[in-house]
Amino acid sequence: MQEHCFYCIGVLDAHLSNGTKAAPEPAFDNKSFPLFVTWTQARNGELRGCIGNFSAMPLHTGLREYALTSALRDGRFAPVQRKELSRLVCGVSLLTDFEDGDDWQDWEVGRHGIRIRFTDEQGRSRSATYLPEVAKEQGWSHREAIDSLLRKGGFRAAITAQVRESVSLERYQSAKEQATYDDYLHWTNSGSH
C-alpha cells in the first residue's frame, strides 16, 4: 500500500520540521509484519538509508520507528537533512514467505530476499541480508550476491567455495511500494487519506 510510504514520509517530515508539523495518523490496518523502510535519492536511485526488522511488528509503530531509524541512524550514511526530503523516494517492504534454503544457491534473483548466517574468521556468528530487489538491481549472480553479503556481514578473509558452503541461507519475498515526496504532497492535498 502506497499509504505506508506516505505515512513514513509524513513521520520524517514532521520530525525534521522541529515541531512545526504534526506527524500523520496512520490510515491503514495495524497488521504485523517484518518490514524494512528504504530511502533513496530520486534523481539517481542511490541509497540514503535502509533499516528494518525480521520480527513481525504492528505496522503503525513499526513504520513510524523505521521511517526515522533508516533516515537518521543508518550508520553507513549521514542523517537525512530537511533540505533533501523533497528529493527522496521512500520504499516500504513487507516481508513474507520465509523459507530455509537448501544451500547458498537455493533462491531466485529478483524474487527472493536472502538472509545469511555464517561464522567469521574469528569464530563469531554473523548475519546479513539483501532485500529481493538488490541482487537484480546490481546485476549480481548468486555467487556475487553471497560474496557481497559475506563482506557486508563482516567476513574479511578469502571467500572460498568452502566458506560459501558453510553459509546458512533463509529466503523470503516482499511486497514493496514506493512513493516520492511529490506523491506524498499530492496525496495530502487531495484529501485521499
Side-chain angles (χ1 to χ4, degrees), residues 84-187:
E84 60 183 313
L85 181 58
S86 65
R87 299 185 308 269
L88 295 180
V89 176
C90 178
V92 171
S93 300
L94 304 182
L95 310 184
T96 62
D97 302 318
F98 288 83
E99 303 172 301
D100 290 332
D102 292 333
D103 59 39
W104 66 273
Q105 298 181 82
D106 188 18
W107 58 284
E108 186 179 324
V109 173
R111 178 177 180 205
H112 293 115
I114 51 174
R115 177 167 58 167
I116 64 168
R117 292 183 176 85
F118 60 94
T119 303
D120 72 9
E121 59 278 10
Q122 305 298 318
R124 294 179 295 226
S125 294
R126 302 279 194 143
S127 67
T129 192
Y130 282 137
L131 295 171
E133 63 273 11
V134 172
K136 184 176 181 178
E137 287 173 355
Q138 297 299 318
W140 286 337
S141 65
H142 287 81
R143 179 181 169 165
E144 291 167 323
I146 293 299
D147 289 1
S148 177
L149 267 180
L150 285 162
R151 294 291 184 227
K152 180 182 178 185
F155 193 83
R156 299 293 171 244
I159 299 173
T160 63
Q162 182 179 3
V163 169
R164 286 185 205 96
E165 292 300 328
S166 72
V167 165
S168 172
L169 181 135
E170 181 179 35
R171 63 183 181 226
Y172 57 90
Q173 296 180 48
S174 77
K176 182 173 183 179
E177 291 290 338
Q178 292 184 304
T180 65
Y181 189 75
D182 285 343
D183 294 334
Y184 166 71
L185 290 179
H186 177 69
W187 178 75

Side-chain angles (χ1 to χ4, degrees), residues 17-110:
S17 72
N18 295 317
T20 62
K21 293 183 180 180
E25 290 297 321
F28 46 84
D29 289 338
N30 197 24
K31 295 178 182 174
S32 292
F33 284 93
L35 59 90
F36 275 72
V37 177
T38 304
W39 299 96
T40 55
Q41 295 178 7
R43 76 181 188 306
N44 59 15
E46 284 189 27
L47 188 63
R48 278 297 281 116
C50 180
I51 297 181
N53 191 324
F54 281 98
S55 299
M57 55 192 319
L59 287 175
H60 295 178
T61 56
L63 291 175
R64 181 173 44 250
E65 176 181 344
Y66 285 99
L68 297 176
T69 301
S70 62
L72 305 172
R73 292 188 276 289
D74 187 327
R76 299 171 291 177
F77 308 98
V80 168
Q81 300 294 310
R82 173 100 196 117
K83 63 185 177 186
E84 60 183 313
L85 181 58
S86 65
R87 299 185 308 269
L88 295 180
V89 176
C90 178
V92 171
S93 300
L94 304 182
L95 310 184
T96 62
D97 302 318
F98 288 83
E99 303 172 301
D100 290 332
D102 292 333
D103 59 39
W104 66 273
Q105 298 181 82
D106 188 18
W107 58 284
E108 186 179 324
V109 173

